[in-house]
């Protein structure tokens, strides 16, 4: 593996950035360009934590390395504050799509919580419409460069507030108009999916796809609630599913494991895990296993047949990209291109798209890796 002057990573002679990728767990308010934060803050009379893009980027990274999800989430005050107008949301969404395409992403899902973007007078519907306009502008801009990308919205309800049913209804109302799924986000520990059962019942009645943040700041019980109460089709992070695995021993390189009921359910039904390696280290989600990427249970889950996917979570806070996350995994676990392709197949299969479009994504990934 080598890194060129532009920060691109090459493995087996292939640029990782050029390979087709699918991004499932990527927060809009965690993906702002530092320069954009500064410009938008200046336009509305706010003072950002740092005055130049490099310093602001370093501030985000430093503040995010706390080992605590609660502390990590505090960095979002700086981004959410400049995303309160239609113009701000539209610009951030447009640049989000352009940055994904520059990272080789051909399909992405962007999650964000509309209820956090109303302080300047926008309605929920106006906020969603502004993000969708920005997404479409970004897609058109990418198309003009001869590339192609598609991005769908995941509307998130904040799990520590009481608006989840309202956001669920909002998501369903925008079905076919850019919104492809629903999520709950925010502080996980103490706020299980069961507290939002009314929203999940509504979504189930309307056959609307759901992913749930679970198994990041809380353990197996939180994952169980996401599956049972939330009817989650994917798990946001889900890394602490490894707590439901008992290592019995090793036979050469093969790990002998006893599965708990929850981990077996997730593995056997190929429920995608939206793993975010760098973020999982920053928030302490993997602290039970260690503090280095090599300690992350990603490889154990992969070798046991879980549907692992690779994600950035918050590219600004983690100073990362999907290319970088893949490169870190290659460095930690010695993966080759076939492994990286498998991660993209898992993500394509788990996308909240009709089966025909998921199959098309799989074909695009296979062609890109083969070429």
């Amino acid at each position: 593996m080598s890194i060129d002057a532009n920060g691109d990573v090459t493995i087996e002679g292939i640029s990782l950035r050029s390979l087709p990728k699918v991004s499932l767990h990527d927060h809009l308010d965690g993906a702002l360009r530092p320069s954009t934060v500064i410009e938008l803050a200046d336009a509305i009379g706010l003072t950002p934590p740092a005055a130049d893009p490099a310093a602001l980027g370093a501030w985000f990274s430093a503040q995010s390395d706390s080992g605590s999800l609660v502390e990590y989430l505090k960095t979002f005050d700086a981004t959410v504050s400049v995303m309160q107008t239609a113009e701000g949301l539209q610009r951030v969404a447009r640049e989000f799509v352009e940055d994904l395409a520059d990272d080789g992403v051909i399909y992405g899902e962007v999650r964000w919580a509309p209820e956090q973007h109303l302080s300047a007078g926008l309605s929920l519907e106006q906020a969603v419409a502004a993000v969708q306009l920005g997404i479409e502008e970004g897609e058109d801009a990418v198309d003009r460069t001869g590339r192609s990308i598609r991005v769908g919205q995941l509307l998130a309800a904040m799990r520590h507030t009481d608006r989840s049913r309202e956001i669920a209804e909002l998501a369903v109302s925008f079905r076919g108009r850019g919104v492809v799924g629903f999520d709950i986000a925010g502080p996980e520990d103490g706020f299980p999916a069961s507290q939002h059962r009314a929203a999940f019942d509504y979504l189930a009645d309307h056959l609307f796809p759901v992913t749930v943040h679970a198994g990041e700041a809380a353990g197996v019980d939180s994952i169980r609630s996401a599956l049972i109460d939330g009817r989650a089709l994917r798990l946001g992070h889900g890394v602490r599913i490894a707590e439901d695995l008992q290592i019995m021993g090793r036979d050469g390189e093969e790990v002998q494991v006893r599965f708990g009921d929850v981990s077996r359910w997730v593995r056997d039904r190929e429920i995608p895990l939206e793993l975010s390696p760098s973020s999982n280290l920053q928030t302490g989600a993997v602290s039970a296993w260690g503090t280095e990427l090599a300690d992350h249970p990603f490889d154990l889950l992969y070798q046991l047949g879980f549907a692992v996917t690779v994600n950035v979570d918050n590219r600004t806070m983690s100073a990362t990209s999907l290319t970088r996350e893949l490169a870190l995994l290659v460095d930690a676990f010695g993966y080759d291109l076939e492994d990286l392709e498998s991660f993209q197949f898992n993500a394509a299969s788990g996308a909240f798209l009709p089966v025909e479009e998921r199959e098309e994504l799989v074909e695009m990934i296979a062609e890109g890796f083969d070429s």
Side-chain angles (χ1 to χ4, degrees):
M1 184 175 71
S2 62
I3 303 177
D4 67 18
N6 296 317
D8 193 12
V9 178
T10 301
I11 177 174
E12 300 177 29
I14 304 297
S15 160
L16 290 190
R17 184 170 292 141
S18 69
L19 293 171
K21 308 174 192 69
V22 174
S23 175
L24 297 181
H25 195 116
D26 205 336
H27 290 265
L28 183 64
D29 52 349
L32 279 70
R33 300 171 184 172
S35 59
T36 296
V37 174
I38 293 170
E39 291 174 18
L40 290 177
D42 182 64
I44 58 177
L46 293 178
T47 302
D52 70 85
L56 183 56
W59 177 85
F60 278 118
S61 296
Q63 291 295 115
S64 299
D65 277 328
S66 63
S68 162
L69 178 61
V70 173
E71 293 302 314
Y72 178 89
L73 291 175
K74 291 180 180 178
T75 61
F76 289 85
D77 292 343
T79 56
V80 172
S81 65
V82 301
M83 298 169 63
Q84 299 299 321
T85 66
E87 294 78 13
L89 285 169
Q90 183 178 337
R91 174 177 174 177
V92 169
R94 180 182 70 250
E95 292 178 351
F96 177 94
V97 175
E98 293 171 340
D99 291 345
L100 281 188
D102 288 343
D103 197 22
V105 174
I106 58 174
Y107 175 76
E109 292 176 359
V110 54
R111 63 187 68 199
W112 66 293
E115 64 188 272
Q116 293 190 306
H117 302 271
L118 309 179
S119 66
L122 289 177
S123 68
L124 289 169
E125 291 78 9
Q126 288 171 333
V128 176
V131 168
Q132 187 58 32
L133 181 57
I135 287 173
E136 292 171 3
E137 288 179 346
E139 291 172 337
D140 289 343
V142 171
D143 285 343
R144 289 194 292 270
T145 68
R147 298 169 296 165
S148 177
I149 187 172
R150 179 178 174 184
V151 175
Q153 294 190 53
L154 300 176
L155 299 192
M158 300 308 293
R159 61 200 312 155
H160 58 294
T161 68
D162 60 359
R163 304 190 71 168
S164 57
R165 170 62 187 258
E166 184 180 11
I167 303 303
E169 293 176 0
L170 178 71
V172 171
S173 74
F174 272 85
R175 188 205 302 258
R177 295 189 291 156
V179 176
V180 299
F182 176 87
D183 178 31
I184 57 171
E188 179 187 359
D189 196 16
F191 299 95
S194 58
Q195 293 185 359
H196 303 276
R197 186 65 186 253
F200 291 123
D201 287 347
Y202 177 85
L203 294 159
D205 287 342
H206 288 78
L207 300 176
F208 198 76
V210 169
T211 178
V212 174
H213 275 76
E216 181 187 20
V220 178
D221 286 343
S222 178
I223 294 172
R224 180 188 291 271
S225 183
L227 297 170
I228 295 174
D229 300 298
R231 283 80 122 196
L233 299 178
R234 302 195 316 242
L235 293 172
H237 299 291
V239 62
R240 288 178 62 176
I241 194 72
E243 294 176 2
D244 202 40
L245 301 170
Q246 184 179 0
I247 307 297
M248 307 301 294
R250 292 181 179 272
D251 183 6
E253 295 185 359
E254 184 176 343
V255 180
Q256 298 173 327
V257 172
R258 176 178 293 164
F259 286 78
D261 291 340
V262 176
S263 59
R264 184 169 294 282
W265 179 271
V266 170
R267 197 280 304 267
D268 290 354
R269 279 146 194 86
E270 299 181 337
I271 295 170
L273 303 176
E274 300 166 356
L275 301 173
S276 304
S278 291
S279 174
N280 295 158
L281 288 176
Q282 288 179 307
T283 64
V286 296
S287 60
W289 298 279
T291 59
E292 304 295 329
L293 189 61
D295 301 319
H296 196 295
F298 185 101
D299 189 59
L300 172 65
L301 296 169
Y302 175 45
Q303 300 301 333
L304 291 175
F306 286 86
V308 298
T309 69
V310 183
N311 303 276
V312 296
D313 195 18
N314 300 288
R315 60 186 65 236
T316 302
M317 285 66 182
S318 297
T320 197
S321 65
L322 199 47
T323 293
R324 178 176 178 270
E325 294 300 299
L326 292 171
L328 290 173
L329 290 172
V330 169
D331 185 55
F333 301 117
Y335 294 143
D336 58 20
L337 287 177
E338 185 176 353
D339 296 312
L340 304 188
E341 184 180 38
S342 294
F343 306 152
Q344 303 316 308
F345 286 155
N346 289 343
S349 297
F352 289 160
L353 289 172
V355 65
E356 297 86 358
E357 295 176 31
R358 282 183 275 142
E359 291 173 346
E360 182 180 355
L361 274 181
V362 168
E363 292 176 2
M364 293 171 65
I365 292 164
E367 291 174 0
F369 273 78
D370 288 345
S371 65

